[in-house]
Amino acid sequence: MDQSTRYHQHTAPTHSREIKKIVLAGNPNVGKSVFFGFLTGLYVEVSNYPGTTIEVAIGEWQGHQILDTPGIYGVSSFNDEEKAARDIILEADIIVNIIDATHLERDLFLTQQIIDMGKPVVVALNFYDEIERAGLKIDIDLLHDLLGIDVLPTSAVNNHGLKQVADTILSAHPGHQQTDLKNQLHDMLNKVGSQAEALMILEGDTVIAERHGVVPGQNRDTLYLERRKRVNDMINHVLQATEDNFRFRDMLGRAAVNPLSGIPILCLILYAMYTVIGVWVAGDIVGITEEMIMQGHYEPWVRSLVSQYANQESIMGQILIGEFGLLTMTVTYLLGLLLPLVLGFYTVLSIMEDSGYLPRLATLVDRLMTSIGLNGRAVIPIILGFGCVQLGTITTRLLTTNREKSIATVILNFAIPCSAQIGVIAGMLAAVGSQMAILYAVVIFTVLTMLGSLLNHLLPGKSSALLIDLPPMRLPRAENIFRKTATRSFFFMQEAWPWFFLGSFLVTILQVSGGLDLWQKLLIPITEGWLQIPKEAATAFVMGLVRRDFGAAGLTGLAMNPIQTVTSLIVITLFVPCIASLMILFKERGTREALLVWGGSWCTAFLVGGIFSQILI
């Protein structure tokens, strides 16, 4: 097994001879995660865009082991996801092959390849409700006869057909192999003892061939072509158009990728996001949760309670209920300020995912991303980075080359604010007017573009071509939106709260020891001199070392004019990655790249903020 494969094991069934290894396999974005959740009762991420399942989830069903693999188009070794899926499929006892009924021609290639491996298979024909609405018809009985395995129509998001698939798993059996392939497989099978591995060797897999000490085959193209012909012949027999299948959502999907209509659609979506998160949530909702509830009722109550046991002016009092108190400011920031913002951002993001818009956005911006050394697929980790930079950094694994991973990681950690930080920034920009908001956006976008262009010029190589599926546009399901938003927000807050408490504690210690005044005085040449903002902003920078959203929240109480506000927001946006992001950065990109990003962000944040301030103030 490839040592780089990551496993997300939810349960660990006891090994015994009777336990079968059941593997969920399919193309990206066909709903494998829903099947995994149905069989195991465990939740994993479900999204309407490719690349969600990066790690291999493991669970238990009726005493058997269930593995959810990364989405693949074929069993091969062209990238990390395929290598991981290949190794798991080779060891599988039974394959549950989930295929997208609306992309039958594409998905049946993998189905036929798994059948050629000699594995027992059952096919779940997912999104069957979509094909009925599209005015198409699949002859399932004929497809069953041609493949030689059970084929069951399902609609995973509606929970239709899942039980029938579960009832069929243990009776799965091998299907009909390609006739011409049998003789070739027979010869190789005598050498390696495994039909699945024999097929991989015939298709030129060097890793499997080396494992058995044989020469890999040279006829991959011929074998693939013959398989494609067989699939095309099946499609001609089993798929029929029954009526005019024009649909508004198809027209909308095409409009979203056309630059003439796609850019206005993108502008409308961005404006809607700004209105919802920046104006409604950051303004109205946070006004109620932070000011009315937390500062109006909670903080007076907790101060009154703690004052009975500790003087507020004492060190313990300052730590608990002082200006940066653990029970006052920290709790208010977490629950009154950040939680509504995080909920708002993840709700909007989940709607974009489930509607099928994100892969179309990747297609739309592909040319723009190419100019900074990436392709449109990189928009997915960057969008996820707006939710949490750590998640975005981890998701760069889905990019094809190490060069693209480096560029995307640098952009994420330099210029992409997380959801909570966006909320604070949007709220502060809403208070200083739309012109200041546009100015801020132009500066950050310019830095992002210059950074990407510089890396594109310096790093050897070039961006790879975009290969991405466009799933059907769908009306997002409220249940799915709620579940995603709740899960992501929970994990975000779970990760964030210890760092907030640690940051508050350190700032309070600096305050009571006089270190905060010293830090502010040391930074006066930068804050009051170069940036021309109040010296107290230095305290927010200390908080930003722990978490950037924490630092952004620390700017909200400062008295600043509009230009000073934008200056401080530019600095805190380009500021060093938070501690948790830095740890992920070390883990994903190594010590050298992580230190370069950390040191470079210090310089870039103060340099860009200072230039902006010196020009406009």
Side-chain angles (χ1 to χ4, degrees):
M1 188 75 65
D2 191 330
Q3 294 300 313
S4 65
T5 303
R6 295 168 183 277
Y7 293 92
H8 186 193
Q9 184 156 358
H10 299 284
T11 58
T14 305
H15 292 286
S16 72
R17 187 170 296 177
E18 293 77 19
I19 293 176
K20 293 185 181 300
K21 185 174 289 186
I22 301 166
V23 171
L24 307 181
N27 286 200
N29 200 39
V30 294
K32 296 188 302 297
S33 300
V34 179
F35 281 82
F36 181 83
F38 176 81
L39 293 170
T40 64
L42 301 168
Y43 174 76
V44 294
E45 194 76 1
V46 182
S47 296
N48 195 17
Y49 65 89
T52 295
T53 308
I54 294 174
E55 298 187 339
V56 178
I58 304 176
E60 183 179 347
W61 171 72
Q62 295 187 1
H64 303 287
Q65 193 179 50
I66 299 283
L67 296 96
D68 183 18
T69 60
I72 53 171
Y73 298 100
V75 184
S76 55
S77 54
F78 294 122
N79 55 48
D80 292 343
E81 285 81 7
E82 289 183 349
K83 290 175 184 174
R86 176 203 61 191
D87 289 339
I88 295 166
I89 289 173
L90 285 175
E91 295 181 357
D93 298 309
I94 297 172
I95 306 287
V96 179
N97 177 210
I98 296 101
I99 65 178
D100 184 344
T102 63
H103 291 84
L104 197 61
E105 183 176 356
R106 178 201 66 186
D107 289 20
L108 278 181
F109 183 89
L110 174 62
T111 306
Q112 185 60 53
Q113 189 181 28
I114 294 172
I115 290 173
D116 290 340
M117 296 173 77
K119 296 286 184 182
V121 192
V122 57
V123 164
L125 198 59
N126 202 20
F127 303 117
Y128 197 75
D129 54 328
E130 300 277 351
I131 204 162
E132 288 178 334
R133 283 200 291 267
L136 299 172
K137 183 179 179 182
I138 297 174
D139 189 336
I140 296 178
D141 291 336
L142 181 57
L143 184 60
H144 164 269
D145 292 340
L146 292 173
L147 292 173
I149 54 177
D150 289 321
V151 179
L152 302 165
T154 64
S155 175
V157 294
N158 295 313
N159 201 29
H160 292 163
L162 302 186
K163 184 177 185 303
Q164 288 76 7
V165 172
D167 292 342
T168 312
I169 290 176
L170 295 180
S171 60
H173 52 81
H176 298 324
Q177 292 177 330
Q178 300 176 82
T179 306
D180 297 340
L181 188 61
K182 287 184 178 177
N183 291 336
Q184 300 178 60
L185 277 174
H186 183 268
D187 294 339
M188 186 58 72
L189 180 60
N190 290 333
K191 298 178 182 177
V192 303
S194 163
Q195 183 172 319
E197 296 192 334
L199 181 67
M200 292 292 95
I201 294 170
L202 286 177
E203 294 183 353
D205 193 306
T206 55
V207 175
I208 306 301
E210 184 179 353
R211 185 181 300 168
H212 292 281
V214 298
V215 178
Q218 302 296 319
N219 298 320
R220 172 189 288 154
D221 292 345
T222 303
L223 293 172
Y224 278 20
L225 183 61
E226 291 300 318
R227 187 173 296 135
R228 172 49 57 194
K229 286 181 179 177
R230 173 168 167 74
V231 169
N232 290 344
D233 184 60
M234 277 191 277
I235 292 297
N236 290 334
H237 286 86
V238 303
L239 188 63
Q240 297 176 348
T242 59
E243 59 185 51
D244 182 6
N245 57 2
F246 171 81
R247 293 180 296 179
F248 172 75
R249 56 181 176 173
D250 293 334
M251 184 186 70
L252 182 62
R254 288 191 291 271
V257 298
N258 186 317
L260 290 177
S261 50
I263 292 175
I265 290 173
L266 175 60
C267 291
L268 284 174
I269 290 174
L270 292 177
Y271 178 75
M273 288 181 66
Y274 170 77
T275 302
V276 171
I277 300 173
V279 178
W280 185 56
V281 177
D284 299 337
I285 301 297
V286 169
I288 295 173
T289 55
E290 183 185 23
E291 298 174 10
M292 184 183 299
I293 298 176
M294 300 305 293
Q295 294 177 345
H297 296 281
Y298 168 74
E299 287 193 19
W301 171 79
V302 77
R303 282 197 179 94
S304 172
L305 179 65
V306 175
S307 296
Q308 298 177 24
Y309 307 97
N311 189 321
Q312 186 171 343
E313 301 304 319
S314 66
I315 294 178
M316 183 56 68
Q318 288 294 308
I319 291 173
L320 294 177
I321 55 175
E323 182 181 359
F324 307 103
L326 299 178
L327 300 179
T328 49
M329 184 200 74
T330 308
V331 176
T332 296
Y333 277 2
L334 280 170
L335 300 182
L337 178 62
L338 295 184
L339 182 58
L341 296 172
V342 170
L343 288 170
F345 177 83
Y346 279 131
T347 299
V348 172
L349 179 63
S350 299
I351 291 172
M352 291 174 65
E353 287 178 355
D354 272 35
S355 67
Y357 179 71
L358 275 188
R360 286 170 174 79
L361 176 60
T363 305
L364 179 69
V365 302
D366 181 55
R367 181 172 296 180
L368 174 65
M369 301 297 279
T370 302
S371 67
I372 57 173
L374 301 169
N375 63 35
R377 195 176 176 87
V379 79
I380 292 172
I382 289 176
I383 289 284
L384 292 177
F386 281 111
C388 175
V389 173
Q390 300 160 55
L391 177 62
T393 303
I394 293 171
T395 312
T396 58
R397 294 173 192 163
L398 66 85
L399 301 181
T400 308
T401 66
N402 194 51
R403 179 178 187 270
E404 291 171 353
K405 293 174 184 175
S406 291
I407 294 175
T409 300
V410 169
I411 289 174
L412 279 165
N413 285 275
F414 262 80
I416 304 298
C418 69
S419 57
Q421 193 181 4
I422 289 174
V424 177
I425 291 170
M428 293 180 68
L429 289 175
V432 295
S434 58
Q435 288 184 335
M436 292 295 107
I438 294 172
L439 205 55
Y440 165 84
V442 168
V443 172
I444 298 301
F445 181 76
T446 302
V447 172
L448 186 153
T449 305
M450 291 178 65
L451 193 62
S453 300
L454 181 65
L455 292 171
N456 188 30
H457 178 73
L458 294 177
L459 296 178
K462 61 181 182 179
S463 57
S464 59
L466 174 66
L467 296 173
I468 195 168
D469 284 329
L470 295 180
M473 294 291 288
R474 305 189 186 106
L475 192 64
R477 291 173 57 83
E479 179 186 353
N480 208 14
I481 300 298
F482 174 79
R483 185 167 58 175
K484 279 185 180 182
T485 300
T487 303
R488 290 173 169 174
S489 299
F490 172 78
F491 285 113
F492 184 96
M493 299 302 291
Q494 185 184 46
E495 185 272 333
W497 75 262
W499 299 108
F500 269 62
F501 277 92
L502 175 64
S504 295
F505 178 76
L506 293 176
V507 172
T508 302
I509 294 299
L510 284 173
Q511 184 187 37
V512 298
S513 65
L516 199 56
D517 288 337
L518 180 60
W519 168 257
Q520 291 179 356
K521 289 176 182 176
L522 287 174
L523 283 193
I524 281 177
I526 294 178
T527 52
E528 294 187 345
W530 175 240
L531 298 174
Q532 303 183 79
I533 58 178
K535 66 177 183 180
E536 289 78 12
T539 303
F541 298 149
V542 175
M543 297 157 71
L545 287 172
V546 181
R547 283 187 64 92
R548 283 196 294 196
D549 45 354
F550 192 32
L555 294 171
T556 57
L558 301 181
M560 294 185 286
N561 63 37
I563 298 296
Q564 287 178 316
T565 299
V566 175
T567 301
S568 64
L569 291 179
I570 290 172
V571 174
I572 206 68
T573 301
L574 302 175
F575 204 55
V576 295
C578 67
I579 292 175
S581 296
L582 190 62
M583 294 300 104
I584 295 294
L585 194 56
F586 273 103
K587 182 165 172 276
E588 293 292 318
R589 305 308 307 164
T591 303
R592 181 173 173 273
E593 281 192 35
L595 290 177
L596 283 173
V597 170
W598 194 79
S601 55
W602 272 103
C603 302
T604 305
F606 289 130
L607 178 65
V608 175
I611 292 173
F612 177 86
S613 171
Q614 295 295 324
I615 293 174
L616 295 184
I617 296 181

